[in-house]
């Protein structure tokens, strides 16, 4: 009875095999030892996660019948249980799927920053690991290592965790191992660079240096930076259309960004609050008017006719085709390097420090927190308050000194 049942099952499988042969390749091949064997390749449809076609190859069958029977068994298994869709096996493969979706909802500059996190930190740690082998203890060890090397390790952890969460969503893994870790305190050996600002006197000295260099364009850039608190990209993205001389205002509604391939493009402002129109002082207005006349004069001297100057960048360059275009993003940094070389005794701060310089001087002049926040386009008042608190502490020290001088007088 058992022999008869086995025979019927075998015969049934062999018969079924004929129906699936059209979907498979069945061939004989020669092994390295000179003997022959059989193999088959089977098309298994498209993977529902990756969208890629799936095929399997199985070798080493002694006879054609043996290969055919195994093929039939596999086909029956596929029809009864479905294809095992866990084709995403490594962290790197899951990251590629996640990134293809994540980039649909972020800016090009954000994508560039996120890819750098994965390329430089996350993928070297997790990339080649199989998903089913990554445990919370492995994640904890990697996270602790990041904390000793990188100030931004919590941001790195967040992105690494987002990929795991995507795997859970797809059903590729059961849970996120990064969620079962303890975030260590930052123990990075790297020293934090303090952001310095210019005092009113130091700012005047800086502009004297630019005047001695006879760099009118640099003087205009840093005048806007220190008298409006605008970001570097916002200033480089300005066109003359954004400056209203009648009402003495500047409109910031875009920013110049430089991608990793060196190309420049115009993006919307960093946040919704960054999109703003601010008033400018009489001195800044006069400097901008003079610069506009100078730009027009220089163009005419080079035989360049400007049909619509409103579309010309305020801080621009002339390309080989004599077309004025946006200046490269590193321009203000190179100006600061030049000042440092020519005037070694001059205090040098970061370009972003001019933004904080403007905020600091506004507070010293008596401006209110909300007014400064709106002027600088801070999305959160905390950033503005941090500057205000520092200025307030300096004022407290001055107040104590005045009090002591009065009492001892």
């Amino acid at each position: 009875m058992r022999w008869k049942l086995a025979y019927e099952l075998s015969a049934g499988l062999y018969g079924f095999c004929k129906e699936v042969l059209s979907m498979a390749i069945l061939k004989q091949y020669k092994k390295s030892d000179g003997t022959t064997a059989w193999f088959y390749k089977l098309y298994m449809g498209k993977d529902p996660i990756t969208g890629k076609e799936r095929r399997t190859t199985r070798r080493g069958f002694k006879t054609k019948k043996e290969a055919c029977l195994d093929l039939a068994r596999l086909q029956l298994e596929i029809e009864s249980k479905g294809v095992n869709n866990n084709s995403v096996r490594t962290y790197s493969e899951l990251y590629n799927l996640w990134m293809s979706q994540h980039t649909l909802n972020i800016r090009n500059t954000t994508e560039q920053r996120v890819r750098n996190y994965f390329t430089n930190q996350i993928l070297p740690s997790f990339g080649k690991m199989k998903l089913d082998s990554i445990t919370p203890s492995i994640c904890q060890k990697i996270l602790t290592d990041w904390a000793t090397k990188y100030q931004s390790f919590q941001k790195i952890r967040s992105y690494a965790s987002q990929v795991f969460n995507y795997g859970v969503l797809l059903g590729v893994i059961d849970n996120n191992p990064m969620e079962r870790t303890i975030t260590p305190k930052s123990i990075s050996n790297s020293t934090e660079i303090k952001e310095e600002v210019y005092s009113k006197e130091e700012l005047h000295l800086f502009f004297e240096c630019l005047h001695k260099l006879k760099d009118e364009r640099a003087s205009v850039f840093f005048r806007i930076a220190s008298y409006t608190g605008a970001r570097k990209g916002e200033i480089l993205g300005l066109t003359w259309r954004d400056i209203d001389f009648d009402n003495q205002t500047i409109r910031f509604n875009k920013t110049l960004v430089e991608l990793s391939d060196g190309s420049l493009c115009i993006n919307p402002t960093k946040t919704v609050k960054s999109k703003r129109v601010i008033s400018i002082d009489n001195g800044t207005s006069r400097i901008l008017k003079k610069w506009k006349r100078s730009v027009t004069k220089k163009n005419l001297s080079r035989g360049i006719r400007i049909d619509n100057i409103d579309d010309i960048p305020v801080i621009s360059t002339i390309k080989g085709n004599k077309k004025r275009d946006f200046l490269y993003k590193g321009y203000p940094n190179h100006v600061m390097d030049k000042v440092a070389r020519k005037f070694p005794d001059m205090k040098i701060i970061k370009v972003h420090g001019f933004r904080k310089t403007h905020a600091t001087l506004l507070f010293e002049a008596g401006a209110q927190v909300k007014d400064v926040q709106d002027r600088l386009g801070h999305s959160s008042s905390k950033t503005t308050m941090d500057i205000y608190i520092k200025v307030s502490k300096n004022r407290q020290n001055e107040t104590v000194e005045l009090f002591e001088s009065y009492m001892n007088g």
Side-chain angles (χ1 to χ4, degrees):
M1 180 66 73
R2 290 181 180 176
W3 177 86
K4 183 179 180 181
L5 182 61
Y7 176 79
E8 290 176 351
L9 178 60
S10 177
L13 285 172
Y14 186 72
F16 179 73
C17 185
K18 292 181 180 180
E19 297 179 10
V20 300
L21 279 175
S22 59
M23 301 174 61
I25 298 174
L26 186 66
K27 287 185 178 180
Q28 190 178 38
Y29 67 99
K30 183 175 289 188
K31 298 168 69 174
S32 58
D33 60 2
T35 60
T36 59
W38 288 81
F39 79 93
Y40 68 81
K41 289 183 179 180
L42 177 64
Y43 172 71
M44 302 171 68
K46 287 188 177 181
D47 187 283
I49 296 176
T50 64
K52 296 179 179 179
E53 293 184 347
R54 297 194 61 195
R55 289 178 170 81
T56 185
T57 302
R58 299 191 180 184
R59 299 174 176 273
F61 301 103
K62 294 180 181 180
T63 65
K64 181 178 180 180
K65 181 178 180 181
E66 185 179 334
C68 191
L69 287 173
D70 190 82
L71 172 60
R73 289 190 188 95
L74 177 60
Q75 188 70 20
L76 283 173
E77 182 181 339
I78 291 172
E79 292 203 352
S80 61
K81 298 181 180 180
V83 180
N84 179 9
N85 292 325
N86 194 12
S87 59
V88 182
R89 295 181 176 85
T90 66
Y91 184 91
S92 181
E93 291 171 343
L94 181 58
Y95 156 72
N96 289 330
L97 286 175
W98 172 81
M99 196 64 185
S100 65
Q101 294 298 316
H102 189 63
T103 52
L104 300 177
N105 305 312
I106 58 177
R107 292 185 181 186
N108 46 14
T109 48
T110 305
E111 177 186 348
Q112 183 173 289
R113 185 173 65 253
V114 172
R115 286 190 185 277
N116 286 338
Y117 280 134
F118 279 94
T119 301
N120 299 325
Q121 286 93 27
I122 302 174
L123 292 181
S125 298
F126 285 114
K128 295 181 180 180
M129 288 188 187
K130 290 187 176 181
L131 292 168
D132 56 9
S133 69
I134 302 176
T135 62
S137 60
I138 290 176
C139 291
Q140 186 69 67
K141 183 178 179 181
I142 291 173
L143 185 57
T144 302
D145 181 56
W146 286 345
T148 64
K149 296 178 179 178
Y150 312 115
Q151 285 285 344
S152 57
F153 79 96
Q154 293 191 40
K155 178 69 73 174
I156 299 169
R157 177 194 184 278
S158 173
Y159 282 120
S161 185
Q162 287 182 47
V163 173
F164 284 123
N165 282 334
Y166 190 64
V168 174
L169 183 66
L170 292 180
V172 173
I173 53 177
D174 295 328
N175 55 70
N176 178 354
M178 188 62 81
E179 287 184 347
R180 289 181 284 166
T181 59
I182 298 173
T183 304
K185 291 183 179 180
S186 178
I187 48 179
S188 170
N189 294 324
S190 60
T191 55
E192 186 177 354
I193 299 175
K194 186 179 180 182
E195 190 88 65
E196 292 190 75
V197 299
Y198 279 148
S199 65
K200 181 173 66 174
E201 294 74 22
E202 289 169 336
L203 187 60
H204 288 321
L205 286 174
F206 174 76
F207 280 112
E208 286 180 16
C209 292
L210 295 182
H211 179 71
K212 291 176 182 177
L213 290 174
K214 298 181 180 180
D215 193 336
E216 188 179 7
R217 182 172 61 183
S219 296
V220 173
F221 176 91
F222 285 101
R223 176 75 184 204
I224 299 173
S226 56
Y227 278 70
T228 70
R231 300 175 179 89
K232 175 170 63 175
E234 292 175 337
I235 301 172
L236 292 173
L238 282 175
T239 59
W240 287 109
R241 188 185 304 278
D242 299 315
I243 299 177
D244 184 343
F245 288 110
D246 293 333
N247 296 305
Q248 287 197 184
T249 61
I250 296 181
R251 175 182 60 191
F252 295 105
N253 60 2
K254 55 190 175 299
T255 183
L256 182 75
V257 299
E258 185 172 342
L259 303 180
S260 55
D261 62 0
S263 60
L264 299 174
C265 65
I266 293 293
N267 274 6
T269 52
K270 185 177 180 181
T271 64
V272 175
K273 288 284 288 185
S274 297
K275 190 175 182 179
R276 61 204 186 279
V277 176
I278 66 169
S279 299
I280 55 175
D281 60 284
N282 293 327
T284 300
S285 181
R286 285 195 300 271
I287 289 172
L288 286 170
K289 285 179 181 178
K290 181 184 176 184
W291 173 239
K292 189 175 184 180
R293 289 194 298 269
S294 179
V295 168
T296 304
K297 186 177 179 180
K298 286 179 181 178
N299 279 309
L300 290 174
S301 67
R302 295 172 180 174
I304 303 173
R305 177 183 174 182
I306 301 178
D307 295 325
N308 190 358
I309 195 169
D310 284 346
D311 296 327
I312 300 296
V314 175
I315 310 296
S316 60
T317 185
I318 298 181
K319 291 192 172 181
N321 57 5
K322 294 185 178 182
K323 176 185 176 184
R324 283 198 169 269
D325 211 338
F326 294 102
L327 206 58
Y328 63 101
K329 193 76 179 288
Y331 164 73
N333 301 80
H334 292 165
V335 172
M336 296 302 291
D337 291 340
K338 186 176 181 180
V339 172
R341 289 195 307 271
K342 298 290 185 178
F343 307 96
D345 295 332
M346 181 66 205
K347 173 183 171 182
I348 300 298
I349 65 173
K350 288 184 175 182
V351 175
H352 191 72
F354 286 87
R355 180 169 165 82
K356 289 191 174 182
T357 293
H358 182 63
T360 299
L361 296 178
L362 281 175
F363 284 130
E364 289 180 355
Q368 299 300 308
V369 174
K370 185 67 172 64
D371 295 333
V372 176
Q373 180 185 351
D374 292 342
R375 187 169 177 82
L376 270 67
H378 284 153
S379 57
S380 169
S381 60
K382 181 183 182 303
T383 308
T384 319
M385 282 299 298
D386 288 343
I387 302 172
Y388 175 73
I389 291 169
K390 186 176 181 180
V391 173
S392 297
K393 285 181 178 179
N394 293 337
R395 280 185 173 178
Q396 287 176 9
N397 294 334
E398 293 173 4
T399 303
V400 170
E401 290 173 4
L402 287 171
F403 176 73
E404 183 181 25
S405 175
Y406 173 75
M407 295 302 292
N408 294 332

